Amino acid sequence: MSLSPWMGGEGKKLANSPLAVNNLWVAPFGSAPFGSPPASEALVRKDWKYFYWPEFEREQLFDLKSDPIEENDLSSDPAFTSQLEGMRKRFAELKSAAK
């Protein structure tokens, strides 16, 4: 199994990769006419999802266990600062490894 170029992995194998444990998503849309969706990137773990919207420089954090339909963005809640920082760090590591 390999990453698709769409995900930024350019066909790299997942075996023995940090990507085998985490799901890194990169949707390279945005800035196109006629309502194209904005670019987005995400790190998804069993109970957490971290979104980054490059065009808006905006982050989102969701607790998938208590909020499976992602209605409550926890990124600005001080109680989740540590979780946000950990997800942000891991996201950066995986994105760098996928290049």
Side-chain angles (χ1 to χ4, degrees):
M1 181 158 71
S2 65
L3 276 175
S4 76
W6 177 80
M7 292 177 68
E10 299 174 4
K12 292 181 182 178
K13 296 289 183 186
L14 288 174
N16 300 319
S17 163
L19 292 173
V21 177
N22 303 277
N23 290 310
L24 176 66
W25 300 0
V26 178
F29 306 116
S31 301
F34 312 114
S36 177
S40 63
E41 303 170 346
L43 170 61
V44 182
R45 291 185 159 176
K46 180 181 176 186
D47 294 332
W48 292 94
K49 183 184 281 186
Y50 168 83
F51 263 107
Y52 179 66
W53 302 89
E55 291 182 50
F56 309 109
E57 297 182 5
R58 173 138 163 51
E59 297 174 302
Q60 290 182 294
L61 180 68
F62 297 100
D63 179 349
L64 299 175
K65 187 172 185 179
S66 65
D67 179 22
I69 58 174
E70 303 170 17
E71 293 183 304
N72 187 23
D73 178 7
L74 302 171
S75 64
S76 61
D77 186 330
F80 295 95
T81 299
S82 178
Q83 182 67 37
L84 176 63
E85 289 173 354
M87 293 291 283
R88 185 187 296 142
K89 179 181 177 190
R90 187 66 178 143
F91 170 78
E93 291 169 354
L94 293 171
K95 190 172 174 183
S96 178
K99 289 184 179 181

